[in-house]
């Protein structure tokens, strides 16, 4: 679903690179690396918020350069690390925004849209939150609402920037288990960055590990905890 | 809620109409419109003074409030507004040029409107270019305030070097007035106003997305640059029109959208735009009714009164935010 071909990423100069990497639907990929190594930059590059320095990125067999602004939100949704601060927006309204790529110029919510919105709410079991203002939710609840929006967007790819960052242990587990389940049941390609290596190992066997020294990202399947730590957090070579 | 606005607006309109110091009845109002008698003083006053002024108050209040709402959503900042961001000062600067250069075309009605519009547009684009560079909300407000001070200084320079009669025209203009529009100008002004309001109604979907922040809005398919240009253009049309005829009117564009959001507890812009137009119109109508009622004791310029009422409201809003 996502293909990275000899990609170098960064804002002005390359901070992170990889050889050919292919990410498939039905899996959750956990992106691991030191602070500031470029995990967010990578996710922003895949979601076309910044351009890669070199190489090619394909989403759904099409180069992202050739995917239009209106087409991209139907292929890929992005859950940022911080939930937007907004007054007077109810969870359901926020989730409805996930339908924006499909609605007409006036933003009219059709029957199909409201069906998808309800599905997305049910998928996360957050019916009780739907009428509450997002500004009143806890961090854990906000994350669930944000994921629900991504599901309402009905994209084959979901990227999440540190979805477990501000959550307590049980909410971390809940979010990871929901994402794993969703990747299988709705056949999605989910990429998330995280620092909770041990917890993530319980839920996924697919890791994208960024070498602390060479700055190369490599794909590891069923790695051990020690493998990941020795690559991502080694002090020197 | 909307029904309440629909009822309140005509009531506020009548209060405004009746608040002048000459007693003119409701019958005179109707007759002056449909059964106009040139020799009847009451008809003349109704038609040439009261009705245009009522109309101006509604347009000014509604237009400024909607423009303020658009700015606040675009810059994702509840304290943004045409006045704070220096868009009014842009219009003022260009009007100052047109009045005080003494070139006849520029100081005609059309010249002033065109200039106010261009000024608002230019300053709108300047501030949006700055918004590209600075992501912090506070920085943008500070830049807007600096822009305002800077243009204020240039306007003062113009004032110093202009002659007495030009200076008087400009000073009166800068105090703000709702009694400058004539009955015959109403259709043209309505047209421009309606273009602005209807234009903003076509922005409902992008505005609702912008609430989530620029990045999320883009990721949901919003063409940000185009949207920003259209929002600035519509704001410039509304602000330019109102500033040209009424002078700078402070705080309406800042306070009303915030009040409306608090009252409706919603961020749905379809609702917010309509409510801002009504509440804004009602707010300025009532302010101006107060001015008319006080006319025998004291002459209060509209800009002074909206500042006296608006500034405390804004302080309250800030306190509420910090709490």
């Amino acid at each position: 679903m996502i293909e990275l071909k000899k990609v170098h990423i960064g804002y002005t100069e390359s901070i992170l690179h990889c050889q050919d990497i292919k990410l498939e639907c039905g899996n959750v990929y956990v992106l691991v690396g030191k602070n500031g190594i470029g995990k967010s930059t990578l996710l922003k590059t895949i979601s076309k918020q910044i351009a890669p320095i070199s190489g090619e990125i394909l989403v759904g067999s099409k180069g992202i350069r050739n995917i239009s602004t209106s087409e991209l939100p139907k292929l890929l949704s992005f859950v940022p690390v911080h939930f937007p601060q907004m007054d007077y927006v109810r969870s359901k309204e926020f989730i409805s925004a996930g339908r924006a790529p499909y609605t007409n110029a006036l933003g009219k919510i059709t029957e199909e849209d409201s069906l998808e919105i309800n599905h997305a709410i049910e998928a996360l079991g957050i019916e009780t939150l739907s009428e509450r203002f997002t500004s009143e939710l806890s961090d854990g609840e906000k994350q669930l609402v944000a994921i629900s929006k991504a599901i309402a967007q009905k994209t084959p790819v979901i990227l999440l920037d540190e979805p477990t960052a501000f959550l307590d242990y049980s909410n971390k587990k809940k979010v990871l288990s929901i994402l794993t389940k969703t990747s299988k049941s709705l056949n999605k390609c989910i990429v998330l960055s995280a620092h909770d290596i041990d917890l993530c190992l319980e839920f996924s066997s697919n890791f994208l590990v960024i070498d602390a020294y060479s700055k190369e990202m490599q794909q590891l399947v069923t790695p051990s905890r020690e493998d990941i730590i020795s690559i991502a957090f080694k002090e020197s070579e | 809620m909307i029904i309440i606005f629909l009822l309140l607006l005509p009531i506020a309109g009548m209060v405004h109409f009746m608040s002048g110091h000459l007693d003119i009845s409701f019958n005179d109002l109707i007759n002056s419109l449909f059964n106009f008698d040139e020799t009847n003083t009451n008809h003349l006053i109704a038609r040439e003074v009261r009705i245009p002024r009522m109309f101006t108050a509604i347009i000014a209040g509604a237009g400024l409030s909607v423009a303020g709402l658009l700015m606040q959503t675009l810059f994702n900042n509840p304290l943004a507004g045409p006045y704070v961001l220096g868009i009014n000062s842009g219009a003022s600067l260009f009007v100052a040029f047109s009045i005080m250069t003494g070139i006849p075309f520029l100081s005609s009605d059309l010249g002033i409107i065109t200039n106010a519009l261009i000024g608002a547009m230019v300053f709108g684009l300047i501030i949006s270019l700055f918004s590209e560079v600075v992501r912090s909300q506070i920085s943008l407000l500070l830049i807007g305030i600096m822009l305002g001070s800077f243009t204020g200084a240039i306007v003062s320079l113009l004032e110093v070097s202009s002659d007495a009669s030009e200076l008087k025209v400009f000073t009166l203009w800068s105090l703000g007035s709702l009694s400058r529009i004539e009955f015959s100008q109403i259709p043209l002004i309505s047209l421009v106003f309606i273009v602005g309001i209807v234009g903003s109604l076509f922005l409902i979907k992008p505005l609702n997305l912008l609430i989530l922040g620029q990045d999320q809005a883009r990721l949901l398919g919003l063409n940000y640059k185009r949207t920003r240009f259209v929002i600035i253009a519509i704001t410039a049309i509304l602000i330019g029109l109102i500033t040209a005829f009424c002078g700078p009117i402070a705080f309406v564009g800042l306070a009303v959208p915030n009040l409306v959001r608090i009252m409706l507890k919603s961020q749905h812009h379809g609702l917010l735009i309509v409510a801002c137009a009504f509440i804004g119109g009602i707010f300025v109508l009532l302010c101006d009714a107060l001015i008319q009622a006080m006319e025998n004791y004291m002459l209060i310029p509209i800009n002074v009164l909206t500042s006296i009422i608006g500034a405390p409201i804004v302080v309250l809003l800030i306190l509420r935010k910090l709490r």
Side-chain angles (χ1 to χ4, degrees), chain A:
Chain A
M1 195 62 218
I2 302 176
E3 266 187 85
L4 305 169
K5 290 183 174 169
K6 301 203 169 37
V7 178
H8 282 259
I9 61 150
Y11 282 89
T12 49
E13 54 190 76
S14 172
I15 56 165
L16 171 64
H17 60 99
C18 66
Q19 292 300 314
D20 294 2
I21 288 182
K22 249 186 161 171
L23 310 178
E24 306 289 347
C25 282
N27 291 330
V28 173
Y29 296 88
V30 182
L31 178 59
V32 180
K34 279 165 80 167
N35 282 135
I37 201 152
K39 297 186 293 297
S40 300
T41 316
L42 175 73
L43 294 177
K44 282 184 180 165
T45 310
I46 299 175
S47 55
K48 217 185 162 186
Q49 297 180 65
I50 48 181
I53 295 197
S54 65
E56 209 185 343
I57 299 172
L58 285 82
V59 175
S61 75
K62 207 171 172 189
I64 53 169
R65 258 178 259 259
N66 302 320
I67 300 177
S68 69
T69 337
S70 55
E71 213 179 324
L72 189 69
K74 295 179 184 171
L75 288 172
L76 175 154
S77 53
F78 185 91
V79 178
V81 60
H82 293 289
F83 192 89
Q85 277 189 5
M86 311 168 289
D87 290 327
Y88 308 129
V89 175
R90 291 178 200 282
S91 304
K92 193 169 181 175
E93 292 174 314
F94 180 77
I95 296 166
S96 310
R99 298 305 298 170
Y102 304 94
T103 57
N104 64 11
L106 296 174
K108 187 173 163 32
I109 296 279
T110 62
E111 215 161 290
E112 192 199 335
D113 291 320
S114 46
L115 215 63
E116 293 294 344
I117 293 163
N118 289 334
H119 279 319
I121 292 173
E122 283 163 27
L124 283 121
I126 49 170
E127 291 86 349
T128 49
L129 304 182
S130 64
E131 289 306 317
R132 287 176 58 194
F133 289 128
T134 55
S135 51
E136 295 166 354
L137 302 179
S138 73
D139 285 337
E141 292 167 333
K142 278 181 185 161
Q143 199 55 256
L144 296 180
V145 170
I147 294 171
S148 172
K149 189 211 113 224
I151 289 174
Q153 208 175 327
K154 240 193 163 186
T155 55
V157 177
I158 301 179
L159 309 178
L160 304 98
D161 195 354
E162 298 202 22
T164 54
F166 305 107
L167 309 186
D168 63 23
Y169 181 74
S170 69
N171 273 325
K172 280 182 206 262
K173 265 186 117 156
K174 189 172 182 185
V175 163
L176 289 171
S177 111
I178 284 171
L179 289 172
T180 318
K181 255 188 248 157
T182 312
S183 72
K184 298 279 181 275
S185 63
L186 301 173
N187 196 34
K188 288 179 189 291
C189 172
I190 296 180
V191 183
L192 61 93
S193 57
H195 292 292
D196 310 284
I197 300 170
D198 301 302
L199 199 59
C200 290
L201 277 164
E202 288 177 29
F203 291 95
S204 176
S205 50
N206 292 289
F207 281 76
L208 298 166
V209 183
I210 302 165
D211 189 307
Y213 194 73
S214 69
K215 318 278 187 213
E216 186 183 340
M217 180 171 73
Q218 35 192 288
Q219 185 171 2
L220 304 180
V221 182
T222 57
S224 70
R225 177 175 188 271
E226 287 66 35
D227 291 341
I228 297 171
I229 290 175
S230 72
I231 297 172
F233 300 101
K234 63 184 156 192
E235 292 302 324
S236 62
E237 198 142 67

Side-chain angles (χ1 to χ4, degrees), chain B residues 203-224:
Chain B
L203 287 170
I204 292 173
K205 181 180 174 183
L207 289 167
N208 286 342
L209 284 179
L210 279 170
I211 291 295
L212 312 188
Q214 203 192 106
D215 291 336
Q216 273 292 309
R218 278 179 208 248
L219 285 164
L220 288 167
L222 179 87
N223 184 333
Y224 180 74

Side-chain angles (χ1 to χ4, degrees), chain B residues 160-190:
Chain B
V160 173
S161 51
S162 66
D163 67 40
S165 67
E166 286 163 2
L167 187 61
K168 192 179 168 207
V169 172
F170 181 75
T171 310
L172 283 176
W173 176 85
S174 68
L175 287 173
S177 162
L178 299 175
S179 42
R180 215 170 285 135
I181 292 179
E182 286 160 23
F183 193 80
S184 59
Q185 293 171 315
I186 290 180
L188 176 70
I189 293 167
S190 310

